[in-house]
Amino acid sequence: MSGSHDTVLVVNFGGQYAHLIARRLRELGAYAILTSPGRFGEVLEGSGDRVKAVVLSGGPMSVRDLAGRSGVCGEVLGSGLPVLGICFGHQLLAVCGGGVVGECEGEFGRAFVRIVRDDPLFEGWGGVEEVWMSHRECVTSLPEGAEVLAVSGRGYVTAFRFKGSLVYGVQFHPEVKHTRKGRVLLRNFLRLAGVELSWRPANILEEILDGLRRELGGSKGRVIAAISGGVDSAVAAALVRKVVGDRLVPILVDHGLFREDEVGEVVSLLKSLGLDPLVIDARERFLSRLEGIEDCEERRRIIGEEFATVFKEVAESLGDVEYLVQGTTYPDVIESGCVESADRIKSHHNVAGLPEWLGLKVVEPLRGLYKDEVRELGRLLGLPEGIIGRHPFPGPGLAVRVVGRFSRAKLEVVRRASRILEEELRRAGLYGDVWQAFAVVGDDRWVGVKGDSREVGYVVTLRVVSSEDAMTADWVRLPYDVLDRVASRITSEVEGVTMVTYAVTPKPPSTIEPC
Ligand code: XMP
């Protein structure tokens, strides 16, 4: 897919913002991909001359711990490419060039910077601008040959440039919306680097279709597409259908872990597109294997295995199946620890790898895309809003929203309570404004009074988050009256629930799903 685009390599030092940087660059029309520091040289070499610029992301480490260990210094500066170092990347560039980074009074959140030297990187900026920062170390001495471009309110070096080159460091985060002119700065950098801005959903569509034609065009067998309730699998299936036509068999495996009425809703939406999925009722086999299992990773493993078994059975009964389509997206790939610098947070089953015994080749047309790009593609393909606007739904479904021992009773509480939450959000016109909204139940109990009698019931936690790509998320400040209606409906309509709480921790430090 990347073949024909100028590329920006974003070196991911493990900061929560690396994806955001890549997304912002893509929004500006530049094809950006992430690489880990250790793979920088290899990725650069493998990309021919498509890489036109490098961005070094923020990261949780201290540059001082890296001293002498980061080969990426030599590789990045030796590449001769334009470089923009952000936060940790800014400090790394300073150290690479022989400067010094030391502790300083931290600057967190909103701050102001003053431009002290005219530079095309800051074209369109005023003399003083609002930025977003998060650091407790600073560049205390600049490398030889570098010049200060901006300073913070506390007088620290906030932007510098190696004279006569396009190597820049900025201590603040231009990718974060709170940096008011961050987008302008990123666009300036792309212009200075001469990056052609050719990354547009309409072009991506044609490229993905071309890629699929190359991958599947020569085959004769059938292609099965695993449809879940979310937008990714529907878009992936719709793309593949354009290439293989009736050879595509969409399959919806009902594992019993869907949202309320979801199977019927998804089937009728898909039918309206001419994608009539084969629904396989596998509820009993999934739920009986999950009963009593406490560890979510173990549940993911079981679900992945059971999915694979069902796919194999379907493939055998259909006879001539060669491929399986999955809706894996770029953050899934990164978060599953497939990239060297990323820790394995959760093994999202669709990228945890399918067993070899399945004997099917996997097609993942969305593997390089972010969710908003998938949605754009969906619109270009004419998918109904009912699918495009659906909240993302994890492959293992409601299984990851039951905390502690898995039981069907807890599953039903989650399903009912989530439905009520969704209904009330729709009623308040808020459903489309949030990334995900669901209920969670664990083993905590709360004594309630229902009628005049004592009842020891479940505690349901509501999780409603806003996010751009699921890599970071914030809890949504829902109006109190909406929360009130949801809570009172849940305690009166869902049997066994005596308390409703609201989760108010962003990601990080929490993840979105509870386990
Ligand atoms: P977390 O909980 O890791 O979730 O912050 C990030 C996004 O990924 C979804 N998610 C999953 N998706 N299989 C999936 O296909 C999984 O096992 C899984 N776990 C989490 C989650 O809903 C959120 O949008």
Side-chain angles (χ1 to χ4, degrees):
M1 188 182 4
S2 57
S4 58
H5 297 278
D6 281 0
T7 301
V8 181
L9 261 192
V10 178
V11 184
N12 181 1
F13 287 100
Q16 50 180 304
Y17 302 107
H19 272 288
L20 203 49
I21 297 169
R23 284 195 54 242
R24 291 284 177 257
L25 295 171
R26 288 188 184 191
E27 279 167 19
L28 291 166
Y31 179 63
I33 55 170
L34 301 192
T35 179
S36 58
R39 292 197 56 223
F40 177 82
E42 187 192 322
V43 174
L44 186 62
E45 209 179 300
S47 68
D49 59 359
R50 303 284 8 152
V51 175
K52 295 287 189 269
V54 179
V55 177
L56 308 177
S57 83
M61 332 160 250
S62 163
V63 175
R64 292 185 297 168
D65 298 337
L66 271 186
R69 282 196 293 125
S70 179
V72 78
C73 261
E75 285 178 327
V76 169
L77 292 177
S79 70
L81 289 165
V83 184
L84 176 64
I86 296 175
C87 194
F88 173 89
H90 155 88
Q91 299 173 5
L92 181 66
L93 279 178
V95 170
C96 290
V100 179
V101 166
E103 263 182 39
C104 61
E105 251 182 279
E107 293 170 299
F108 296 96
R110 206 163 69 108
F112 288 88
V113 297
R114 187 162 50 84
I115 309 298
V116 295
R117 181 184 291 272
D118 270 350
D119 190 279
L121 185 69
F122 289 99
E123 198 181 301
W125 280 48
V128 174
E129 290 286 354
E130 190 174 325
V131 299
W132 198 87
M133 295 216 250
S134 178
H135 70 114
R136 52 170 53 91
E137 291 187 341
C138 293
V139 174
T140 50
S141 168
L142 274 182
E144 211 170 301
E147 57 194 3
V148 183
L149 303 180
V151 293
S152 71
R154 297 210 162 110
Y156 301 131
V157 175
T158 301
F160 72 89
R161 172 185 190 166
F162 285 97
K163 280 186 211 160
S165 76
L166 290 174
V167 178
Y168 289 97
V170 292
Q171 181 61 70
F172 55 86
H173 287 270
E175 73 280 17
V176 170
K177 285 203 167 125
H178 308 291
T179 296
R180 283 201 329 115
K181 299 240 172 103
R183 200 180 152 85
V184 174
L185 183 144
L186 292 174
R187 195 189 291 116
N188 289 341
F189 176 67
L190 294 172
R191 192 192 64 240
L192 291 168
V195 177
E196 195 197 335
L197 304 181
S198 57
W199 183 253
R200 295 270 176 276
N203 307 346
I204 313 172
L205 177 59
E206 270 320 304
E207 281 171 42
I208 293 182
L209 291 174
D210 280 347
L212 287 172
R213 280 181 204 113
R214 281 194 298 277
E215 195 174 355
L216 305 171
S219 67
K220 294 262 180 298
R222 290 208 248 199
V223 180
I224 56 178
I227 305 274
S228 71
V231 61
D232 303 340
S233 57
V235 172
L239 284 165
V240 172
R241 220 244 330 220
K242 273 193 161 297
V243 171
V244 302
D246 290 345
R247 283 199 286 133
L248 180 81
V249 184
I251 296 179
L252 196 150
V253 179
D254 184 357
H255 43 22
L257 301 161
F258 280 110
R259 292 170 276 202
E260 198 166 288
D261 298 333
E262 179 149 38
V263 174
E265 283 167 17
V266 170
V267 169
S268 63
L269 283 167
L270 291 172
K271 273 190 180 163
S272 70
L273 284 173
L275 281 171
D276 190 0
L278 185 64
V279 178
I280 300 188
D281 183 355
R283 286 176 291 182
E284 194 46 43
R285 57 197 278 183
F286 277 85
L287 296 183
S288 58
R289 283 197 68 189
L290 292 173
E291 193 72 50
I293 305 287
E294 196 159 338
D295 177 19
C296 274
E297 284 295 283
E298 174 66 1
R299 288 185 213 156
R300 282 188 172 86
R301 196 193 59 70
I302 291 172
I303 290 167
E305 198 178 285
E306 209 52 45
F307 262 125
T309 311
V310 174
F311 294 148
K312 186 159 179 67
E313 288 169 9
V314 173
E316 279 167 4
S317 73
L318 289 170
D320 54 349
V321 177
E322 266 187 88
Y323 290 94
L324 170 73
V325 184
Q326 288 202 305
T328 315
T329 60
Y330 201 39
D332 295 335
V333 174
I334 305 288
E335 279 223 349
S336 289
C338 298
V339 166
E340 175 213 305
S341 67
D343 210 5
R344 177 180 281 254
I345 312 282
K346 293 176 186 178
S347 57
H348 292 191
H349 76 90
N350 47 352
V351 275
L354 287 163
E356 282 205 356
W357 53 255
L358 185 58
L360 295 176
K361 293 176 231 164
V362 174
V363 189
E364 296 176 317
L366 311 175
R367 212 180 151 81
L369 302 186
Y370 287 105
K371 183 76 87 185
D372 49 353
E373 295 171 328
V374 174
R375 290 196 162 119
E376 290 258 11
L377 280 191
R379 289 196 181 96
L380 286 169
L381 289 165
L383 264 61
E385 263 317 300
I387 286 190
I388 291 169
R390 283 185 100 70
H391 289 169
F393 191 57
L398 300 181
V400 294
R401 295 175 181 172
V402 171
V403 179
R405 284 168 68 83
F406 184 88
S407 74
R408 294 179 202 224
K410 282 156 81 178
L411 175 66
E412 287 319 312
V413 167
V414 165
R415 197 176 344 249
R416 277 300 304 138
S418 296
R419 180 57 164 213
I420 291 170
L421 174 62
E422 284 195 12
E423 279 172 5
E424 290 302 328
L425 288 179
R426 285 185 201 278
R427 188 134 72 107
L430 295 170
Y431 180 88
D433 297 345
V434 309
W435 174 264
Q436 280 175 304
F438 52 86
V440 172
V441 75
D443 292 322
D444 285 347
R445 297 294 179 136
W446 200 286
V447 174
V449 270
K450 285 204 176 165
D452 278 330
S453 46
R454 170 188 160 99
E455 179 184 326
V456 182
Y458 289 113
V459 178
V460 161
T461 299
L462 304 175
R463 182 82 163 135
V464 183
V465 295
S466 58
S467 176
E468 291 194 67
D469 53 17
M471 299 300 294
T472 59
D474 199 4
W475 61 280
V476 174
R477 276 61 170 172
L478 283 183
Y480 282 165
D481 59 331
V482 174
L483 278 173
D484 185 45
R485 259 199 314 279
V486 174
S488 62
R489 277 194 62 194
I490 290 175
T491 45
S492 62
E493 294 174 35
V494 186
E495 209 177 315
V497 180
T498 45
M499 171 55 79
V500 177
T501 62
Y502 194 47
V504 292
T505 307
K507 172 183 181 176
S510 303
T511 53
I512 295 176
E513 307 284 353
C515 66

